[in-house]
Amino acid sequence: DAKTTQPNSMESNEEEPVHLPCNHSTISGTDYIHWYRQLPSQGPEYVIHGLTSNVNNRMASLAIAEDRKSSTLILHRATLRDAAVYYCILRASGSARQLTFGSGTQLTVLP
Amino acid sequence: DTAVSQTPKYLVTQMGNDKSIKCEQNLGHDTMYWYKQDSKKFLKIMFSYNNKELIINETVPNRFSPKSPDKAHLNLHINSLELGDSAVYFCASSHIGGNTEAFFGQGTRLTVV
């Protein structure tokens, strides 16, 4: 599985936007970029995924670089409930391959 | 209506015992997984099943044996439990393919004493 690199931790103020970066320089053409998060004492939760184009959903936006070697998860207005570990994961197309989790980014939201 | 449910939520047992963790998904997914999260919070894949067939078996001791009676269930049986097996175990499911999202259960916290 292609590897991703994320900062270990980030802080944000409540109600401000948060940009969580991810580098994936060895991404292949058929890899989807997935983001999951894990709130304290809960299982991982799907956030968003994309292939080439930017994506928006009710939780977040995903901005994908033109060369696909990096991406950014955008939380438009962070709340205290968004404090979690955020994982950027590459998932190969057309396979039953598992999600391979790295160490993720611990997001702290300050009131 | 819980999408992926695991039972029990907590499990405390003595070394040497045999225990099982059950997982059920009601999403109609064809692929199910077991993950282990250790004390350092690192999530590691253990097994992956697609349509009841074992797809991935990472380096896991033979004491761990997954069983999939049907596509909606993937149970994890652990023999001769050891202290190092203490962790949180997560079940997950998805459709096959990279363009699909996975759903995770709430986890089973196993403590071996």
PDB file of all heavy atoms in Angstrom, chain A residues 60-79:
ATOM      1  N   ALA A  60     -17.303  17.613   5.508  1.00  0.00           N
ATOM      2  CA  ALA A  60     -16.025  18.241   5.194  1.00  0.00           C
ATOM      3  C   ALA A  60     -15.871  18.426   3.696  1.00  0.00           C
ATOM      4  O   ALA A  60     -16.731  18.024   2.914  1.00  0.00           O
ATOM      5  CB  ALA A  60     -14.878  17.360   5.721  1.00  0.00           C
ATOM      6  N   SER A  61     -14.742  19.021   3.320  1.00  0.00           N
ATOM      7  CA  SER A  61     -14.343  19.112   1.919  1.00  0.00           C
ATOM      8  C   SER A  61     -12.971  18.473   1.771  1.00  0.00           C
ATOM      9  O   SER A  61     -12.165  18.481   2.707  1.00  0.00           O
ATOM     10  CB  SER A  61     -14.282  20.574   1.467  1.00  0.00           C
ATOM     11  OG  SER A  61     -15.551  21.160   1.507  1.00  0.00           O
ATOM     12  N   LEU A  62     -12.745  17.922   0.606  1.00  0.00           N
ATOM     13  CA  LEU A  62     -11.457  17.322   0.292  1.00  0.00           C
ATOM     14  C   LEU A  62     -10.882  18.023  -0.925  1.00  0.00           C
ATOM     15  O   LEU A  62     -11.511  18.024  -1.992  1.00  0.00           O
ATOM     16  CB  LEU A  62     -11.621  15.822   0.012  1.00  0.00           C
ATOM     17  CG  LEU A  62     -10.370  15.071  -0.440  1.00  0.00           C
ATOM     18  CD1 LEU A  62      -9.273  15.163   0.608  1.00  0.00           C
ATOM     19  CD2 LEU A  62     -10.717  13.608  -0.735  1.00  0.00           C
ATOM     20  N   ALA A  63      -9.711  18.621  -0.732  1.00  0.00           N
ATOM     21  CA  ALA A  63      -9.022  19.286  -1.823  1.00  0.00           C
ATOM     22  C   ALA A  63      -7.851  18.408  -2.234  1.00  0.00           C
ATOM     23  O   ALA A  63      -6.993  18.070  -1.406  1.00  0.00           O
ATOM     24  CB  ALA A  63      -8.534  20.662  -1.378  1.00  0.00           C
ATOM     25  N   ILE A  64      -7.811  18.040  -3.514  1.00  0.00           N
ATOM     26  CA  ILE A  64      -6.779  17.141  -4.029  1.00  0.00           C
ATOM     27  C   ILE A  64      -5.881  17.919  -4.977  1.00  0.00           C
ATOM     28  O   ILE A  64      -6.375  18.577  -5.902  1.00  0.00           O
ATOM     29  CB  ILE A  64      -7.417  15.943  -4.759  1.00  0.00           C
ATOM     30  CG1 ILE A  64      -8.323  15.176  -3.786  1.00  0.00           C
ATOM     31  CG2 ILE A  64      -6.334  15.022  -5.321  1.00  0.00           C
ATOM     32  CD1 ILE A  64      -9.141  14.074  -4.442  1.00  0.00           C
ATOM     33  N   ALA A  65      -4.582  17.840  -4.751  1.00  0.00           N
ATOM     34  CA  ALA A  65      -3.638  18.535  -5.618  1.00  0.00           C
ATOM     35  C   ALA A  65      -3.718  17.993  -7.034  1.00  0.00           C
ATOM     36  O   ALA A  65      -4.083  16.836  -7.250  1.00  0.00           O
ATOM     37  CB  ALA A  65      -2.219  18.370  -5.080  1.00  0.00           C
ATOM     38  N   GLU A  66      -3.347  18.824  -7.973  1.00  0.00           N
ATOM     39  CA  GLU A  66      -3.458  18.438  -9.373  1.00  0.00           C
ATOM     40  C   GLU A  66      -2.616  17.200  -9.691  1.00  0.00           C
ATOM     41  O   GLU A  66      -3.027  16.350 -10.482  1.00  0.00           O
ATOM     42  CB  GLU A  66      -3.008  19.608 -10.258  1.00  0.00           C
ATOM     43  CG  GLU A  66      -3.457  19.472 -11.698  1.00  0.00           C
ATOM     44  CD  GLU A  66      -3.258  20.755 -12.495  1.00  0.00           C
ATOM     45  OE1 GLU A  66      -3.272  21.843 -11.889  1.00  0.00           O
ATOM     46  OE2 GLU A  66      -3.084  20.646 -13.720  1.00  0.00           O
ATOM     47  N   ASP A  67      -1.446  17.083  -9.078  1.00  0.00           N
ATOM     48  CA  ASP A  67      -0.602  15.909  -9.320  1.00  0.00           C
ATOM     49  C   ASP A  67      -0.955  14.749  -8.397  1.00  0.00           C
ATOM     50  O   ASP A  67      -0.325  13.687  -8.449  1.00  0.00           O
ATOM     51  CB  ASP A  67       0.885  16.264  -9.170  1.00  0.00           C
ATOM     52  CG  ASP A  67       1.245  16.720  -7.764  1.00  0.00           C
ATOM     53  OD1 ASP A  67       0.359  16.683  -6.881  1.00  0.00           O
ATOM     54  OD2 ASP A  67       2.383  17.131  -7.540  1.00  0.00           O
ATOM     55  N   ARG A  68      -1.951  14.939  -7.554  1.00  0.00           N
ATOM     56  CA  ARG A  68      -2.477  13.942  -6.608  1.00  0.00           C
ATOM     57  C   ARG A  68      -1.453  13.499  -5.567  1.00  0.00           C
ATOM     58  O   ARG A  68      -1.679  12.522  -4.863  1.00  0.00           O
ATOM     59  CB  ARG A  68      -3.007  12.714  -7.336  1.00  0.00           C
ATOM     60  CG  ARG A  68      -4.109  13.013  -8.299  1.00  0.00           C
ATOM     61  CD  ARG A  68      -5.122  11.908  -8.550  1.00  0.00           C
ATOM     62  NE  ARG A  68      -4.584  10.562  -8.501  1.00  0.00           N
ATOM     63  CZ  ARG A  68      -5.079   9.603  -7.721  1.00  0.00           C
ATOM     64  NH1 ARG A  68      -6.088   9.865  -6.903  1.00  0.00           N
ATOM     65  NH2 ARG A  68      -4.554   8.397  -7.742  1.00  0.00           N
ATOM     66  N   LYS A  69      -0.383  14.196  -5.417  1.00  0.00           N
ATOM     67  CA  LYS A  69       0.615  13.773  -4.438  1.00  0.00           C
ATOM     68  C   LYS A  69       0.344  14.342  -3.048  1.00  0.00           C
ATOM     69  O   LYS A  69       1.083  14.049  -2.100  1.00  0.00           O
ATOM     70  CB  LYS A  69       2.013  14.169  -4.917  1.00  0.00           C
ATOM     71  CG  LYS A  69       2.426  13.404  -6.164  1.00  0.00           C
ATOM     72  CD  LYS A  69       3.852  13.704  -6.571  1.00  0.00           C
ATOM     73  CE  LYS A  69       4.236  12.835  -7.763  1.00  0.00           C
ATOM     74  NZ  LYS A  69       5.646  13.041  -8.173  1.00  0.00           N
ATOM     75  N   SER A  70      -0.668  15.117  -2.932  1.00  0.00           N
ATOM     76  CA  SER A  70      -1.065  15.619  -1.618  1.00  0.00           C
ATOM     77  C   SER A  70      -2.554  15.950  -1.638  1.00  0.00           C
ATOM     78  O   SER A  70      -3.156  16.102  -2.700  1.00  0.00           O
ATOM     79  CB  SER A  70      -0.265  16.860  -1.227  1.00  0.00           C
ATOM     80  OG  SER A  70      -0.572  17.926  -2.094  1.00  0.00           O
ATOM     81  N   SER A  71      -3.109  16.021  -0.449  1.00  0.00           N
ATOM     82  CA  SER A  71      -4.517  16.398  -0.320  1.00  0.00           C
ATOM     83  C   SER A  71      -4.710  17.112   1.011  1.00  0.00           C
ATOM     84  O   SER A  71      -3.847  17.032   1.907  1.00  0.00           O
ATOM     85  CB  SER A  71      -5.431  15.172  -0.418  1.00  0.00           C
ATOM     86  OG  SER A  71      -5.158  14.244   0.622  1.00  0.00           O
ATOM     87  N   THR A  72      -5.834  17.787   1.130  1.00  0.00           N
ATOM     88  CA  THR A  72      -6.140  18.527   2.354  1.00  0.00           C
ATOM     89  C   THR A  72      -7.592  18.298   2.729  1.00  0.00           C
ATOM     90  O   THR A  72      -8.490  18.466   1.894  1.00  0.00           O
ATOM     91  CB  THR A  72      -5.905  20.038   2.159  1.00  0.00           C
ATOM     92  OG1 THR A  72      -4.552  20.257   1.759  1.00  0.00           O
ATOM     93  CG2 THR A  72      -6.184  20.797   3.449  1.00  0.00           C
ATOM     94  N   LEU A  73      -7.794  17.889   3.941  1.00  0.00           N
ATOM     95  CA  LEU A  73      -9.150  17.781   4.479  1.00  0.00           C
ATOM     96  C   LEU A  73      -9.500  19.110   5.120  1.00  0.00           C
ATOM     97  O   LEU A  73      -8.739  19.629   5.931  1.00  0.00           O
ATOM     98  CB  LEU A  73      -9.235  16.664   5.517  1.00  0.00           C
ATOM     99  CG  LEU A  73     -10.608  16.484   6.163  1.00  0.00           C
ATOM    100  CD1 LEU A  73     -11.599  15.918   5.158  1.00  0.00           C
ATOM    101  CD2 LEU A  73     -10.515  15.585   7.390  1.00  0.00           C
ATOM    102  N   ILE A  74     -10.647  19.641   4.754  1.00  0.00           N
ATOM    103  CA  ILE A  74     -11.065  20.944   5.263  1.00  0.00           C
ATOM    104  C   ILE A  74     -12.334  20.798   6.082  1.00  0.00           C
ATOM    105  O   ILE A  74     -13.361  20.327   5.581  1.00  0.00           O
ATOM    106  CB  ILE A  74     -11.299  21.931   4.104  1.00  0.00           C
ATOM    107  CG1 ILE A  74     -10.028  22.052   3.250  1.00  0.00           C
ATOM    108  CG2 ILE A  74     -11.711  23.305   4.653  1.00  0.00           C
ATOM    109  CD1 ILE A  74     -10.252  22.716   1.907  1.00  0.00           C
ATOM    110  N   LEU A  75     -12.222  21.169   7.347  1.00  0.00           N
ATOM    111  CA  LEU A  75     -13.409  21.288   8.194  1.00  0.00           C
ATOM    112  C   LEU A  75     -13.740  22.766   8.227  1.00  0.00           C
ATOM    113  O   LEU A  75     -12.931  23.583   8.675  1.00  0.00           O
ATOM    114  CB  LEU A  75     -13.118  20.773   9.607  1.00  0.00           C
ATOM    115  CG  LEU A  75     -12.552  19.353   9.712  1.00  0.00           C
ATOM    116  CD1 LEU A  75     -12.306  18.994  11.174  1.00  0.00           C
ATOM    117  CD2 LEU A  75     -13.478  18.356   9.060  1.00  0.00           C
ATOM    118  N   HIS A  76     -14.913  23.125   7.760  1.00  0.00           N
ATOM    119  CA  HIS A  76     -15.199  24.541   7.531  1.00  0.00           C
ATOM    120  C   HIS A  76     -15.366  25.343   8.811  1.00  0.00           C
ATOM    121  O   HIS A  76     -14.962  26.500   8.881  1.00  0.00           O
ATOM    122  CB  HIS A  76     -16.408  24.672   6.627  1.00  0.00           C
ATOM    123  CG  HIS A  76     -16.156  24.105   5.260  1.00  0.00           C
ATOM    124  ND1 HIS A  76     -15.363  24.755   4.344  1.00  0.00           N
ATOM    125  CD2 HIS A  76     -16.545  22.945   4.677  1.00  0.00           C
ATOM    126  CE1 HIS A  76     -15.286  24.020   3.235  1.00  0.00           C
ATOM    127  NE2 HIS A  76     -15.992  22.922   3.419  1.00  0.00           N
ATOM    128  N   ARG A  77     -15.960  24.719   9.821  1.00  0.00           N
ATOM    129  CA  ARG A  77     -16.102  25.376  11.130  1.00  0.00           C
ATOM    130  C   ARG A  77     -15.911  24.316  12.197  1.00  0.00           C
ATOM    131  O   ARG A  77     -16.804  23.532  12.458  1.00  0.00           O
ATOM    132  CB  ARG A  77     -17.471  26.017  11.275  1.00  0.00           C
ATOM    133  CG  ARG A  77     -17.680  27.289  10.470  1.00  0.00           C
ATOM    134  CD  ARG A  77     -19.031  27.896  10.790  1.00  0.00           C
ATOM    135  NE  ARG A  77     -19.088  28.394  12.156  1.00  0.00           N
ATOM    136  CZ  ARG A  77     -20.219  28.592  12.827  1.00  0.00           C
ATOM    137  NH1 ARG A  77     -21.380  28.320  12.273  1.00  0.00           N
ATOM    138  NH2 ARG A  77     -20.202  29.051  14.058  1.00  0.00           N
ATOM    139  N   ALA A  78     -14.735  24.284  12.766  1.00  0.00           N
ATOM    140  CA  ALA A  78     -14.438  23.246  13.749  1.00  0.00           C
ATOM    141  C   ALA A  78     -15.288  23.421  14.999  1.00  0.00           C
ATOM    142  O   ALA A  78     -15.497  24.539  15.483  1.00  0.00           O
ATOM    143  CB  ALA A  78     -12.961  23.299  14.122  1.00  0.00           C
ATOM    144  N   THR A  79     -15.778  22.315  15.509  1.00  0.00           N
ATOM    145  CA  THR A  79     -16.480  22.323  16.786  1.00  0.00           C
ATOM    146  C   THR A  79     -15.709  21.426  17.748  1.00  0.00           C
ATOM    147  O   THR A  79     -14.827  20.654  17.340  1.00  0.00           O
ATOM    148  CB  THR A  79     -17.909  21.790  16.643  1.00  0.00           C
ATOM    149  OG1 THR A  79     -17.846  20.379  16.362  1.00  0.00           O
ATOM    150  CG2 THR A  79     -18.658  22.498  15.515  1.00  0.00           C
TER     151      THR A  79
END
